[in-house]
Amino acid sequence: MKHTIIRGVTATVLVSMVAFACSDKFLEVPATGQLSNTQLTSRAGIDGILISSYAQLNARSFTQTASSYNWMRGSISGGDANKGSNSGDFNAITPFETYQILPTSSEANGKWNAMYEGVARANATLRALASAGSDVTSDDKKRISGEARFLRGHYYFELKRAFNMVPYVDETVDYGTGVDKVPNNADIWPKIEADFQYAYDNLAEKQSAVGRANKWAAAAYLAKTYMYQQKYSNAKTLFDLIIANGVNSAGTKYALVANYTDIFNAATETNSESVFASQAAANTGSSDNANPDLVLNFPYNTGSNGPAGCCGFFAPSFELANSFRTSSNGLPLLDGSYNSGSNQLVTDQGIASNASFTPDAGPVDPRLDWSIGRRGIPYLDWQNHPGLDWIRDQGFAGPYSPKKFVFYKSQDKTLTDGSSWTDGYSAINYQIIRFADVLLMAAEAEIEVGSLETARTYINQVRSRAANATYWVKAYSGGNAANYVISTYSSAFASKDAARTAVRFERKLELSGEGHRFFDLVRWGIAASTLNTFLAYESAKLPVAYTSAKFTAGKDEYMPIPQTQIDYQGASILKQNPGY
């Protein structure tokens, strides 16, 4: 009986195997962790792909210099900051302050990869949208395509101003269909314009989340794209509309916030000044959701008396700090005399923290102490900056610490992510475009094709906010922490040249350390003269940091096309930039 049962079972199994062998359905086992096409083309699936494109704004999983912030290329190469730390740590950054970048640079390749990853995710969204499921409405398609094209425009804008000639790949080209055969032989500004124009035409004013791009963010980015091409009339038309009617994604009308530091405070950063920002969040289970690209840029070795304690990078330059010197009437020294004689700020360079030091007593723009950490001045709510004790190597970095994008002591472990090796993973957003930036670009456009008086009004709006003494940095014992003196331009500009000088310097002060300076200098056509003058001054202060530094016109305006990418695609397809 036992034998019969066994034989019967065996026969049944064999029959079953034969039956299955006649059909391959048993082979169709869904892969673990894989989404079906139906899932991917649903409303939730397509929106998930779109959100992954937003996630790439902070360049997660790539280098700490590759994000949309551009603290390395925009600010260090622009003279806002020195590399900082010391000569040995993360010395891949050093060529960006000495203009000795090689095609083999890992940081240049990281920027390329991170931005093209953003492009790929935006394109994937658009491809999925083309075969959207039945739950995706026409309004959904309009919104999602508008956001995807806005983000693609952003990533290509970053690539264009970083590398100039880059391949343009849209949603019709993918792996296996020629993506590796696209050359970099065409100017992509028209493509970038088209993406932002589409977003402007199709996005609504209000969105379901403040981090999503809206109609007015697209307008601002399109106007910024025009500014980079000197299309001032086109830009002015848009700026007029944005200033009069623009609102953020929550529906709040654009306006300067009263307190400058609210822009860089994780508790207050979602406000009327935010046009479009890279969003950050702490304590979500992954520090990548915080602000990973800023994690190195805190005072060094602070212990529990200061934020994060690492790593001393991104030290504001002597030249930038001096730029905040004002005349007795509260205006900046536009003739460059801030780098001469007693106009230079008094610093504690080479002075031990336990040695006597008399801080600078001259008149300064109050934005100095919102932007730069210096000895004897309150460092947010931590303590007075002690000077040398918080600087890793003054001889290489200088005497200053970054102060924007630094969290408060009262926010530690709540608006910072304590799950990793440092509390430096903060919830502070990076404002890719903010309203002060818009006003100053609008002032530029007015100077070129409009009214010098309107330009003066826009510049004075920015300066008036800075002149609000209620929000100046205060000593812990009471009263202003320094001799703050600032005023507006009370007289008409004498000429276009005078107005240009004023607005360009105002951008330097207002947007210092925010990744704009280098790109501004390049688009104005004054990078070589301005940066070589900067190098002559800063290298005398920090000769080791600036060994052999020189900006070469016609070459250093753009990074080299990464050699790795040329090797992938072939030198017949990807052409290297001039001079490399």
Side-chain angles (χ1 to χ4, degrees):
M1 177 65 69
K2 183 182 293 184
H3 180 69
T4 302
I5 292 172
I6 293 173
R7 288 187 66 181
V9 170
T10 303
T12 301
V13 171
L14 287 172
V15 169
S16 298
M17 290 176 67
V18 170
F20 275 117
C22 293
S23 170
D24 61 2
K25 288 184 178 180
F26 81 100
L27 296 173
E28 297 174 6
V29 179
T32 302
Q34 179 174 300
L35 296 173
S36 69
N37 188 63
T38 301
Q39 289 172 302
L40 285 173
T41 56
S42 68
R43 184 180 187 277
I46 295 172
D47 208 44
I49 303 171
L50 174 65
I51 290 170
S52 78
S53 189
Y54 277 103
Q56 196 55 29
L57 290 171
N58 78 357
R60 64 193 62 214
S61 302
F62 290 88
T63 70
Q64 289 164 314
T65 63
S67 80
S68 303
Y69 179 7
N70 291 301
W71 63 271
M72 178 183 69
R73 186 56 165 167
S75 285
I76 292 178
S77 292
D80 278 354
N82 303 313
K83 175 237 177 185
S85 186
N86 63 18
S87 60
D89 196 0
F90 203 173
N91 54 21
I93 298 176
T94 303
F96 288 82
E97 74 175 348
T98 59
Y99 312 104
Q100 297 172 339
I101 309 168
L102 297 176
T104 53
S105 166
S106 59
E107 303 310 302
N109 192 50
K111 181 68 174 181
W112 180 285
N113 282 333
M115 295 303 100
Y116 271 112
E117 177 66 23
V119 168
R121 295 180 185 190
N123 283 339
T125 304
L126 294 167
R127 275 194 295 272
L129 199 60
S131 55
S134 59
D135 65 334
V136 182
T137 68
S138 59
D139 284 345
D140 290 332
K141 291 178 180 179
K142 191 174 180 181
R143 174 187 63 81
I144 292 170
S145 62
E147 289 183 59
R149 291 191 65 172
F150 174 94
L151 290 167
R152 185 171 68 185
H154 163 77
Y155 292 118
Y156 274 123
F157 181 92
E158 286 286 288
L159 287 161
K160 173 64 179 176
R161 66 178 184 168
F163 299 99
N164 192 22
M165 301 300 288
V166 296
Y168 186 88
V169 178
D170 66 14
E171 70 275 18
T172 65
V173 184
D174 200 2
Y175 296 102
T177 59
V179 70
D180 57 331
K181 303 301 181 185
V182 180
N184 62 334
N185 60 358
D187 183 9
I188 68 168
W189 279 129
K191 303 286 190 181
I192 297 170
E193 284 184 22
D195 274 346
F196 287 135
Q197 184 69 58
Y198 181 92
Y200 176 53
D201 291 340
N202 287 276
L203 289 176
E205 290 190 335
K206 295 182 70 174
Q207 288 276 36
S208 60
V210 293
R212 292 183 184 269
N214 75 343
K215 177 183 186 71
W216 294 109
Y221 226 143
L222 178 57
K224 186 173 184 176
T225 300
Y226 288 145
M227 293 297 289
Y228 271 68
Q229 301 172 82
Q230 293 81 50
K231 294 182 177 181
Y232 297 115
S233 294
N234 302 63
K236 180 187 176 322
T237 299
L238 278 176
F239 285 133
D240 287 347
L241 292 170
I242 295 163
I243 292 168
N245 306 304
V247 298
N248 66 19
S249 292
T252 304
K253 191 176 187 317
Y254 290 144
L256 300 177
V257 293
N259 185 352
Y260 186 81
T261 59
D262 282 351
I263 306 161
F264 315 103
N265 185 333
T268 57
E269 62 196 0
T270 301
N271 53 48
S272 62
E273 191 158 345
S274 179
V275 175
F276 184 65
S278 173
Q279 302 288 314
N283 302 310
T284 64
S286 171
S287 59
D288 273 350
N289 292 327
N291 208 328
D293 50 332
L294 302 179
V295 73
L296 304 177
N297 303 347
F298 293 92
Y300 181 73
N301 199 32
T302 64
S304 60
N305 295 320
C310 190
C311 296
F313 288 88
F314 200 47
S317 66
F318 285 94
E319 202 274 349
L320 175 66
N322 291 345
S323 300
F324 288 93
R325 175 71 78 203
T326 63
S327 63
S328 58
N329 66 4
L331 291 176
L333 305 179
L334 299 179
D335 61 357
S337 61
Y338 55 84
N339 281 332
S340 302
S342 61
N343 286 336
Q344 301 171 93
L345 294 191
V346 175
T347 77
D348 66 320
Q349 182 78 348
I351 301 174
S353 291
N354 60 3
S356 176
F357 171 69
T358 302
D360 188 277
V364 292
D365 187 309
R367 288 172 290 188
L368 167 66
D369 291 327
W370 290 328
S371 308
I372 296 174
R374 58 188 183 120
R375 181 169 174 175
I377 303 296
Y379 198 77
L380 304 179
D381 61 347
W382 291 93
Q383 65 170 49
N384 283 336
H385 193 293
L388 184 61
D389 283 353
W390 279 11
I391 308 297
R392 190 171 187 180
D393 181 354
Q394 272 195 349
F396 190 82
Y400 300 119
S401 298
K403 201 169 184 180
K404 288 181 178 177
F405 306 105
V406 171
F407 59 91
Y408 289 76
K409 185 176 184 178
S410 59
Q411 299 171 341
D412 196 13
K413 302 292 195 300
T414 57
L415 291 175
T416 67
D417 197 309
S419 67
S420 190
W421 62 276
T422 173
D423 290 349
Y425 291 95
S426 80
I428 300 173
N429 294 346
Y430 169 64
Q431 304 294 336
I432 294 172
I433 302 179
R434 59 184 178 93
F435 192 56
D437 183 12
V438 169
L439 286 173
L440 294 175
M441 286 191 290
E444 284 188 61
E446 290 288 345
I447 290 165
E448 299 304 329
V449 296
S451 161
L452 295 186
E453 276 303 289
T454 303
R456 185 166 69 94
T457 299
Y458 291 156
I459 296 167
N460 280 343
Q461 284 187 45
V462 174
R463 293 185 65 78
S464 293
R465 188 257 300 275
N468 186 343
T470 302
Y471 301 106
W472 291 352
V473 176
K474 308 297 180 184
Y476 294 126
S477 58
N480 295 331
N483 181 16
Y484 302 130
V485 182
I486 184 172
S487 64
T488 58
Y489 290 95
S490 59
S491 301
F493 293 126
S495 64
K496 278 191 173 185
D497 283 342
R500 286 190 195 103
T501 300
V503 73
R504 290 174 179 182
F505 205 81
E506 198 64 30
R507 286 185 65 82
K508 180 182 185 182
L509 300 176
E510 173 70 17
L511 303 172
S512 72
E514 297 180 44
H516 298 282
R517 180 66 173 166
F518 179 80
F519 303 112
D520 278 349
L521 294 174
V522 171
R523 69 183 177 88
W524 294 330
I526 60 172
S529 58
T530 303
L531 291 172
N532 282 321
T533 298
F534 163 81
L535 289 172
Y537 181 82
E538 201 75 12
S539 64
K541 303 284 188 180
L542 303 172
V544 174
Y546 285 92
T547 300
S548 301
K550 180 185 178 183
F551 186 97
T552 301
K555 169 180 175 283
D556 291 321
E557 291 85 354
Y558 300 102
M559 289 192 283
I561 304 299
Q563 188 60 47
T564 299
Q565 305 303 325
I566 294 175
D567 292 343
Y568 284 156
Q569 291 192 242
S572 63
I573 297 173
L574 275 189
K575 301 298 184 183
Q576 185 56 271
N577 280 331
Y580 291 102

